[in-house]
Amino acid sequence: MSKVEEKLAELGLTLPPVAAPVAAYVPAVRTGDFVFTSGQLPMVAGKLPSTGKVGAEVTPEEAKELAQICALNALAAVKSVIGDLDLVEQVVKVVGFVASAPDFTGQPGVINGTSELFGKVLGDAGVHARSAVGVTVLPLDAPVEVEIQVRVRAGA
């Protein structure tokens, strides 16, 4: 078990299996020293725990927890490409999408679910640039979707 996965276990979390794509794409691609994930929905055992718009059917607190699940799914996608999460040197960029009710403006707080998890699990390597974007609708009526870009150890 990698140190990253040990840290997840200390937090009471486990790395899930890679979420199956819902269309024609792969969960992650490596190019050189970088891994780019596809958008990761908060899937748990192949299902969304909740659906709808944040600020309407889904509370900001629930959405923040869903963003953490997206982060776990993103880490699983990265691991599927590099084999060992200890090879991650830096989370470079996080892009978070929040399906938002028309008057909801708390997208950054929701995506903190992803950012805070990376900080707890990866320490300084989890500090990243980020965008948090409100959108009308996401695939499968998911409340949150996250994609990440990470830099991995050169030559690994």
Side-chain angles (χ1 to χ4, degrees), residues 54 60 63-64 67 94 96-98 100 104-116 128 130-134:
V54 181
K64 184 176 179 180
V94 169
F97 302 96
V98 180
S100 302
F104 182 72
T105 59
Q107 293 84 6
V110 169
I111 302 305
N112 277 348
T114 296
S115 297
E116 291 169 3
H128 53 267
R130 188 182 89 178
S131 298
V133 182

Side-chain angles (χ1 to χ4, degrees), residues 48-69:
L48 291 171
S50 60
T51 58
K53 307 294 180 279
V54 181
E57 301 87 3
V58 179
T59 69
E61 295 78 18
E62 291 168 325
K64 184 176 179 180
E65 291 175 14
L66 294 171
Q68 178 178 295
I69 295 169

Side-chain angles (χ1 to χ4, degrees), residues 28-96:
V29 173
R30 181 175 182 170
T31 180
D33 297 338
F34 292 91
V35 176
F36 298 82
T37 70
S38 296
Q40 299 294 311
L41 300 177
M43 298 294 239
V44 176
K47 298 180 182 176
L48 291 171
S50 60
T51 58
K53 307 294 180 279
V54 181
E57 301 87 3
V58 179
T59 69
E61 295 78 18
E62 291 168 325
K64 184 176 179 180
E65 291 175 14
L66 294 171
Q68 178 178 295
I69 295 169
C70 292
L72 290 169
N73 287 337
L75 287 174
V78 170
K79 182 181 177 184
S80 75
V81 173
I82 64 172
D84 181 353
L85 289 175
D86 289 346
L87 297 174
V88 172
E89 290 191 335
Q90 187 71 52
V91 176
V92 177
K93 176 82 182 223
V94 169
V95 180

Side-chain angles (χ1 to χ4, degrees), residues 17-31:
V18 178
V22 299
Y25 59 89
V26 295
V29 173
R30 181 175 182 170
T31 180

Side-chain angles (χ1 to χ4, degrees), residues 123-149:
D124 289 343
V127 177
H128 53 267
R130 188 182 89 178
S131 298
V133 182
V135 297
T136 305
V137 67
L138 288 167
L140 307 177
D141 201 24
V144 182
E145 180 176 352
V146 171
E147 66 180 56
I148 66 172
Q149 301 166 13

